[in-house]
Each structure stands twice: as C-alpha cells, then as structure tokens.
Amino acid sequence: YSPMNPRMPLYTDDDSGRGRNATLFNILLPENGIYRIFVRSFEDSGAGNYRLSIEPDSGLAVSAETSQPIVYSDQINASLENEQVVYHFTANAGDIVTILLDSPDFDTYVELLAADNTIIETNDDNGRDRNSIIRNFQLPSDGVYFIIVTSFNYDSTGDFTLELLDMTTVSQS
C-alpha cells in the first residue's frame, strides 16, 4: 500500500515465487513515504510461519547484455556458482518450447521470462527426481526470452545441464 492511497493495494501477488510463495519483483515505488505490506494466506484459514524480506534492486534488469546466449537444440553443461545463471534466446510468436534443467548436485528451479522481465512460466520438480522441465510452452510473441537457472534453495550450487528444445514442428505433426 502506498502513502498516496493507503486503502488500495499498489501491488499484490499470490504465488509467482517458488512453489506457492508470493514474490514481487522489480517494484518501482512511485513516491517517497511510508509503505505498508500486508501478509496473509490465499485462503483465510491458512496459518503458519513465514519469512518476509525486502531487498533493494540493483536496478539492472535481465538483458541480452547481462545473460548468455542459447539457441534451440543447445545442451549446455555448466555450473551454478551464485544465485542464478541467465540465458537468452530469440523466438517467434507461437513457437512451442521445452526447457529441461537437470542437476546431480542441487534441487533445480527454472524460470522463463518475457523480454520485459515478466515471469511467464516456472517449474520446480516436474522433471525426473528434483529436476525441472517447462514442457511444450507456447510463446506469446516475437522477441527475446530469458531462462533463469537457479536452485529451489537459493544457496545451493553445483553442476547442471540445460536444454532448449523447439517442439513446434513436433507438436504440429
């Protein structure tokens, strides 16, 4: 809630974070003043412990300049040494992609972002074991997309394999 209108939520979220967690990313605060944050469960009957954190944004959005390129049919073997590794690819509206993220070392988590850094799809454990897969996702528009490779637990690191597959022709046959 903003100082300008303390009765109308400025931003809300249900579960765009990992699992069923709420996360607000890259929030631009429109004015100086005191902001209020209300925390509640989606269902009024929900109760339990939670963690709330506020972190200043570096102001650097994910971009082609701050990420590594990946193209269809690539299989990248790399290592997660920090919180995340970011890849970018260019696609057409209607392309159907599958993104596979596997690791023997950590519980994988993958995010697919549109060019404006909006998260459009995520996955935790739909792959084998603790691995992630975004399966047959149809891209909404032409342009650049970003794949965020990370772990379900932010502090986990290790080797991983990332694959980006174009399923468009497979899906249409």
Side-chain angles (χ1 to χ4, degrees), residues 57-99:
D57 186 15
S58 65
L60 298 174
V62 173
S63 68
E65 292 78 25
T66 62
S67 60
Q68 301 174 44
I70 186 171
V71 296
Y72 290 143
S73 301
D74 266 1
Q75 180 175 329
I76 295 175
N77 296 302
S79 183
L80 179 65
E81 297 174 2
N82 298 310
E83 184 177 308
Q84 66 184 26
V85 180
V86 182
Y87 295 90
H88 69 273
F89 66 99
T90 303
N92 297 312
D95 282 2
I96 299 171
V97 298
T98 292
I99 301 167

Side-chain angles (χ1 to χ4, degrees), residues 8 19 46 56 58-59 67 75 89 93 102 106 112 131 138 141 153 170:
M8 174 72 85
S58 65
S67 60
Q75 180 175 329
F89 66 99
D102 295 327
F106 61 90
L112 177 62
N131 297 307
Q138 187 169 12
S141 59
N153 300 313
V170 174

Side-chain angles (χ1 to χ4, degrees), residues 144-163:
V144 175
Y145 290 86
F146 300 98
I147 300 170
I148 308 288
V149 171
T150 190
S151 63
F152 187 76
N153 300 313
Y154 285 105
D155 58 352
S156 297
T157 59
D159 295 335
F160 67 86
T161 301
L162 175 67
E163 293 181 72

Side-chain angles (χ1 to χ4, degrees), residues 6-154:
R7 296 199 169 137
M8 174 72 85
L10 184 61
Y11 298 101
T12 63
D13 185 67
D14 173 24
D15 58 5
S16 66
R18 295 192 171 121
R20 296 179 301 168
N21 296 308
T23 303
L24 296 173
F25 294 100
N26 300 323
I27 299 301
L28 177 63
L29 301 177
E31 64 181 305
N32 292 333
I34 297 173
Y35 288 79
R36 296 181 301 146
I37 300 171
F38 288 92
V39 177
R40 68 178 183 88
S41 68
F42 182 74
E43 298 176 358
D44 290 333
S45 62
N49 296 327
Y50 65 89
R51 184 183 74 172
L52 174 67
S53 64
I54 301 173
E55 299 174 13
D57 186 15
S58 65
L60 298 174
V62 173
S63 68
E65 292 78 25
T66 62
S67 60
Q68 301 174 44
I70 186 171
V71 296
Y72 290 143
S73 301
D74 266 1
Q75 180 175 329
I76 295 175
N77 296 302
S79 183
L80 179 65
E81 297 174 2
N82 298 310
E83 184 177 308
Q84 66 184 26
V85 180
V86 182
Y87 295 90
H88 69 273
F89 66 99
T90 303
N92 297 312
D95 282 2
I96 299 171
V97 298
T98 292
I99 301 167
L100 301 131
L101 176 59
D102 295 327
S103 174
D105 300 327
F106 61 90
D107 184 2
T108 63
Y109 193 86
V110 65
E111 298 173 339
L112 177 62
L113 281 65
D116 65 358
N117 283 210
T118 303
I119 297 173
I120 56 175
E121 189 66 46
T122 65
N123 186 262
D124 176 24
D125 289 334
N126 284 355
R128 299 175 298 275
D129 299 322
R130 297 177 309 157
N131 297 307
S132 305
I133 185 170
I134 294 175
R135 186 186 321 263
N136 298 333
F137 185 85
Q138 187 169 12
L139 300 173
S141 59
D142 292 349
V144 175
Y145 290 86
F146 300 98
I147 300 170
I148 308 288
V149 171
T150 190
S151 63
F152 187 76
N153 300 313
Y154 285 105

